C-alpha cells in the first residue's frame, strides 16, 4: 500500500480594498512558496517588487524563505519573528494608506495573515490542536496559548507603555494579534508577564505565539483524519 504524502499546507492570498492592497504567499511548513521557483531561494525573476524588498525582514535558508514588507518597519520585525519561529515560509507585500495613519495597514495585514493561515491549515484533523509557549527576550517574558478551535476569541495583554515603537503605534500590537485570531478562527491568550523594554515585551510575545502555533499545528502520527474534539467536529 502506497502512503500518500501529506497535503501541502500553503496558499496565496490577494486582498484589495480602498485602504490597503496586500499580496501574501504562505507555507505553514516552510520550504518553497507557491509563487516561488523551487530551485532557488529567491522570488521568480518577473517579480517586479523584488527590488524594493526590505532586507531587515528578509531571510532565506534551506528550510524557510521569509520576505516581508508592510511599509511599517517594526511591524515587519514582528512578522519576521513570528514566521521564523513558527517555521513558516512567507512573502508579504502591503501598500496601505500610511498618509492617514498606521491603523488600516497593520490591521489588514493581520486579517490577511489570519485568513491565509486558516486556508493553508485546512481541516483541523490529525493535528495537536493546542499549543503553548513561554519565550524570553532578555528581561521580558511572554506566554502564549492557542487553540485551533474554529471559535475566534482572544485576550492579549502586553502591558506596553510607549506611544510608539518605531513608526508603529503600540496600541496596534494587541489589535493586530486580535485581528489574526479573528480571521484565523482560533482562540488566543497572550500575556507579557514581565519586562521593562517595550520592544522586548512585544517581541517576546510574538515569539511565544510562533512557538505555540508550531506546537498546535503539528501533525500527530497515528491520528491522521481524526478530529481532535469530543464533539467530533471543529
Amino acid at each position: 500500500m502506497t502512503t500518500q504524502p501529506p497535503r501541502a499546507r500553503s496558499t496565496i492570498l490577494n486582498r484589495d480594498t480602498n485602504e490597503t492592497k496586500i499580496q501574501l504567499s504562505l507555507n505553514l511548513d516552510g520550504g518553497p512558496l507557491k509563487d516561488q521557483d523551487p530551485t532557488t531561494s529567491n522570488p521568480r525573476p518577473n517579480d517586479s517588487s523584488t527590488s524594493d524588498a526590505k532586507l531587515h525582514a528578509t531571510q532565506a535558508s534551506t528550510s524557510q524563505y521569509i520576505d516581508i514588507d508592510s511599509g511599517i518597519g517594526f511591524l515587519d520585525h514582528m512578522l519576521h519573528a513570528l514566521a521564523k519561529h513558527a517555521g513558516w515560509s512567507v512573502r508579504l507585500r502591503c501598500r496601505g494608506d500610511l498618509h492617514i495613519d498606521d491603523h488600516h495597514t497593520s490591521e489588514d495585514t493581520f486579517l490577511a495573515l489570519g485568513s491565509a493561515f486558516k486556508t493553508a491549515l485546512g481541516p483541523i484533523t490529525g493535528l495537536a490542536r493546542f499549543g503553548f509557549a513561554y519565550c524570553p527576550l532578555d528581561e521580558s517574558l511572554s506566554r502564549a496559548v492557542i487553540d485551533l478551535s474554529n471559535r475566534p476569541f482572544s485576550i492579549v495583554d502586553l502591558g506596553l507603555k510607549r506611544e510608539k515603537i518605531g513608526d508603529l503605534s503600540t496600541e496596534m500590537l494587541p489589535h493586530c494579534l486580535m485581528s489574526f485570531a479573528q480571521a484565523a478562527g482560533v482562540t488566543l491568550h497572550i500575556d507579557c508577564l514581565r519586562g521593562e523594554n517595550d520592544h522586548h515585551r512585544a517581541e517576546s510575545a510574538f515569539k511565544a505565539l510562533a512557538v505555540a502555533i508550531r506546537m498546535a499545528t503539528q501533525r500527530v502520527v497515528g491520528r491522521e483524519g481524526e478530529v481532535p474534539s469530543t464533539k467530533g467536529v471543529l
Side-chain angles (χ1 to χ4, degrees), residues 135-142 192 194-197 199-201 203-204 207:
C135 280
L137 179 54
D138 296 343
E139 87 294 347
S140 295
L141 177 66
S142 291
C192 183
R194 63 175 63 92
E196 299 299 324
N197 183 290
H199 184 134
H200 291 176
R201 292 179 72 95
E203 188 170 344
S204 68
K207 288 178 176 176

Side-chain angles (χ1 to χ4, degrees), residues 8-190:
R9 300 191 294 183
S10 61
T11 192
I12 295 174
L13 180 147
N14 292 300
R15 187 181 192 273
D16 287 359
T17 72
N18 290 333
E19 297 166 345
T20 58
K21 299 189 182 305
I22 298 172
Q23 296 176 331
L24 173 61
S25 182
L26 176 67
N27 188 331
L28 299 182
D29 299 302
L33 296 165
K34 281 191 172 182
D35 59 349
Q36 183 180 330
D37 183 345
T39 65
T40 177
S41 61
N42 297 316
R44 294 186 183 278
N46 62 0
D47 183 355
S48 60
S49 65
T50 301
S51 61
D52 69 355
K54 299 294 190 296
L55 296 180
H56 68 269
T58 301
Q59 187 174 17
S61 68
T62 56
S63 63
Q64 286 179 276
Y65 177 78
I66 300 169
D67 184 6
I68 297 166
D69 180 6
S70 69
I72 304 174
F74 191 73
L75 195 68
D76 294 349
H77 184 43
M78 295 298 97
L79 287 163
H80 188 180
L82 177 62
K84 179 63 179 177
H85 298 288
W88 299 345
S89 286
V90 61
R91 184 178 184 280
L92 182 146
R93 291 290 182 275
C94 177
R95 291 295 173 263
D97 53 5
L98 291 174
H99 61 284
I100 295 177
D101 67 6
D102 57 357
H103 186 100
H104 297 144
T105 295
S106 51
E107 178 184 59
D108 287 6
T109 293
F110 277 80
L111 288 172
L113 184 63
S115 295
F117 175 87
K118 186 179 180 70
T119 300
L121 188 63
I124 304 171
T125 58
L127 304 180
R129 176 179 168 179
F130 300 100
F132 64 92
Y134 289 82
C135 280
L137 179 54
D138 296 343
E139 87 294 347
S140 295
L141 177 66
S142 291
R143 176 186 60 215
V145 183
I146 189 170
D147 176 9
L148 308 180
S149 59
N150 202 28
R151 295 190 305 276
F153 183 82
S154 58
I155 295 178
V156 181
D157 185 0
L158 304 184
L160 303 175
K161 300 181 179 66
R162 291 167 57 178
E163 181 178 352
K164 282 192 170 188
I165 305 176
D167 292 327
L168 180 66
S169 304
T170 54
E171 68 179 5
M172 291 310 301
L173 286 162
H175 185 68
C176 284
L177 295 169
M178 292 173 182
S179 297
F180 173 80
Q182 174 187 339
V186 301
T187 299
L188 193 60
H189 292 258
I190 304 177

Side-chain angles (χ1 to χ4, degrees), residues 3-9 29 219:
T3 302
Q4 294 294 324
R7 179 185 66 87
R9 300 191 294 183
D29 299 302
R219 293 181 170 103

